[in-house]
Amino acid sequence: MTMAEAEAGRAAIRRALRSLKRRHLAEEGAHSPAIEALTRPFAAHALEWKERAEKHELELQHCYKAQSRLSEQLVIEIEEGKASKALLKEKEAMVTSLQAELEKTSEENVQLKQSLDEKTKALDLLIQEHQTVKAELEQALAKLKAAEDENQSLIDRWMLEKMKDAERLNEANAMYEEMVLKLKTAGVGGIQLNAQQEADGIIRRSEAGYMETSIPSTCTITIRAHDGGCGSLMFEHNSDKLISGGQDQTVKIWSASTGALTSTLHGCLGSVNDLAVTNDNKFVIAACSSNKLFVWEVNGGRPRHTLTGHTKNVSSVDASWVKSFVVASSSNDRTIKTWDLQTGFCKSTIMSASNPNSLAFIDGDIICSGHRDGNLRLWDIRSGKCTTQIAAHLDVTSVCVSRSKNFILTSGRDNVHNLFDVRTLEICGTFRAMGNRAVGSWGKPCISPDENCIAAGSSDGSVYIWSRLKNGTPTILEGHSSPVLASAWCGLGPLATSDRNHIYLWS
């Protein structure tokens, strides 16, 4: 409400009050004669009438005061009415604005709905296209799987033939070297006879395979080998020479037929965790706790190389069955390295998601490894990629590849030994026994030369031997006084096992 409107209201009130006062005065003048006439006859009642008059005058004053209050209240109500009218106009303007905004929002809602409908149609189309592409992808994956299976089958056959050729070539080379050695002491006739006998032996072995292995029952030789324990054993290829590595930082070579020590290799800076020998039996490699690998020449025992590159304990080592100068090692630094024994340098490094506890070559370019996460992995060392991963145990402590490369034996902390078929990578045998307990990460089971038997040491000092074909109750060999740490089966017959103090040869 403006100032002019307020002033006009107050002026109207003042005029109303003056009008009321004039009216009162006029009424008093009109009634004064009558009052005077009445006072004369009723003089006696003058005092009573005077009191009544005063009373009425007092009531009249109260009426004036009430009228004044009503007038003020009327002014207030008028002002409030004007304020309400202004507020009403403001609300009407706001309603108009909201209606306009509502219309605008409705239009936007319609547009958004149209856009949503378009996008929904586009999404339906994309879903249909995705389903079509997914179906095509599944068909392509099925074709790829079939092609990979066929390719793997071809690779398996090719690997088998290649390994047979390599074994024949190695035997031929060994025969040639032996013939050259005999040339100095024998005549031409003796050479021809020896060559014919050697060739006949090679042909018979290549045609018939290894002779059947009998399950040993008796300890024939006991060897006091290493101070502190012997954690690794292996035989030279096609030989009865036994190689052992121990906590005393030495590698020793023994005659399995007599138990005599033939050579001791020095130079390790830590305990020996694993051993390997090249396919020509010329070099011995030891994986040590000093983060290094040491290489010796078998003839003469001269150190050849010290392979450095791992940053933690080297847990396992193996030499290629096809390439004489290629070696692979695994370490607790989660790496697998390949080495060139001609130069002593690292050729490649493969990073793994889990610590590799053990590894072995399957052919010249494929290795298998057992890991702490329980998986068996196959690696292509040419590309450095994992080609296959299989859940094998809770923690794979050891892997062992059979002579024909058709089987992989894995062992774990779950006290189970699984035999995998390399061609299908499926478990073809599971071996366990009530008393057979794994010796931490040290236990190293082995496969017999004819691939029909599995041997594994136990923490109670017993050696358990299972038949792969029968898969029944195992044969138990007793004699060790402490946990059996390692085992190795010679191609010529005897089984070797080791504990903290001794090596036992069984036949």
Side-chain angles (χ1 to χ4, degrees), residues 62-114:
H62 286 311
C63 291
Y64 288 153
K65 289 180 181 181
Q67 186 177 7
S68 176
R69 286 195 301 269
L70 290 175
S71 299
E72 291 176 358
Q73 187 175 359
L74 177 62
V75 172
I76 293 172
E77 294 292 338
I78 291 172
E79 291 178 354
E80 290 180 354
K82 291 180 178 180
S84 299
K85 186 176 181 181
L87 181 61
L88 179 61
K89 290 182 179 179
E90 183 179 353
K91 296 294 183 181
E92 289 177 350
M94 186 180 295
V95 169
T96 304
S97 175
L98 290 175
Q99 287 178 348
E101 186 175 353
L102 177 62
E103 292 177 356
K104 182 179 179 181
T105 305
S106 300
E107 294 177 357
E108 292 179 355
N109 188 22
V110 172
Q111 294 177 357
L112 290 174
K113 187 175 180 181
Q114 293 176 352

Side-chain angles (χ1 to χ4, degrees), residues 21 58 114 138 183 190 196 210 233 268 275 314 346 360 443 450:
K21 192 173 184 179
L58 183 60
Q114 293 176 352
E138 290 176 352
L183 179 62
Q196 183 176 0
Y210 293 96
L233 289 174
C268 290
L275 292 169
V314 183
C346 177
D450 65 353

Side-chain angles (χ1 to χ4, degrees), residues 218-441:
T218 305
C219 176
T220 57
I221 298 175
T222 302
I223 303 172
R224 176 76 181 186
H226 298 271
D227 295 332
C230 175
S232 182
L233 289 174
M234 74 169 304
F235 284 93
E236 287 187 355
H237 303 297
N238 302 319
S239 171
D240 67 343
K241 288 185 177 181
L242 175 65
I243 307 172
S244 65
Q247 302 293 317
D248 57 0
Q249 303 182 9
T250 63
V251 175
K252 297 182 179 181
I253 302 178
W254 313 82
S255 171
S257 58
T258 63
L261 177 64
T262 61
S263 178
T264 300
L265 308 178
H266 298 278
C268 290
L269 300 179
S271 59
V272 178
N273 295 327
D274 198 13
L275 292 169
V277 63
T278 55
N279 60 0
D280 55 6
N281 292 331
K282 288 185 177 181
F283 299 101
V284 173
I285 307 97
C288 298
S289 60
S290 60
N291 309 342
K292 298 179 178 63
L293 296 100
F294 297 88
V295 184
W296 297 269
E297 295 178 358
V298 174
N299 294 329
R302 185 173 67 90
R304 179 68 178 266
H305 296 294
T306 298
L307 309 180
T308 59
H310 287 294
T311 60
K312 291 186 178 180
N313 177 47
V314 183
S315 57
S316 181
V317 62
D318 194 24
S320 172
W321 293 71
V322 179
K323 301 175 182 179
S324 300
F325 295 98
V326 177
V327 173
S329 64
S330 64
S331 169
N332 291 343
D333 59 8
R334 295 189 178 184
T335 63
I336 296 174
K337 292 181 180 289
T338 58
W339 310 85
D340 186 350
L341 294 186
Q342 289 181 314
T343 63
F345 294 132
C346 177
K347 296 177 62 178
S348 64
T349 300
I350 300 172
M351 302 299 296
S352 175
S354 175
N355 279 347
N357 293 326
S358 180
L359 61 76
F361 271 94
I362 297 178
D363 73 351
D365 299 311
I366 303 296
I367 60 175
C368 62
S369 59
H371 294 257
R372 188 167 296 175
D373 62 3
N375 288 318
L376 172 68
R377 292 179 172 88
L378 271 63
W379 306 86
D380 188 336
I381 61 176
R382 294 167 298 184
S383 63
K385 295 181 178 180
C386 178
T387 59
T388 307
Q389 177 173 305
I390 308 165
H393 302 274
L394 297 177
D395 181 356
V396 182
T397 59
S398 173
V399 295
C400 176
V401 178
S402 65
R403 287 179 177 268
S404 68
K405 312 306 178 194
N406 289 332
F407 299 101
I408 301 174
L409 175 65
T410 64
S411 301
R413 291 182 181 271
D414 53 2
N415 304 316
V416 175
H417 312 282
N418 289 325
L419 192 66
F420 288 85
D421 190 325
V422 174
R423 289 160 293 191
T424 61
L425 293 178
E426 295 180 352
I427 295 177
C428 58
T430 298
F431 308 93
R432 58 166 62 91
M434 185 67 66
N436 183 240
R437 294 289 182 268
V439 190
S441 59

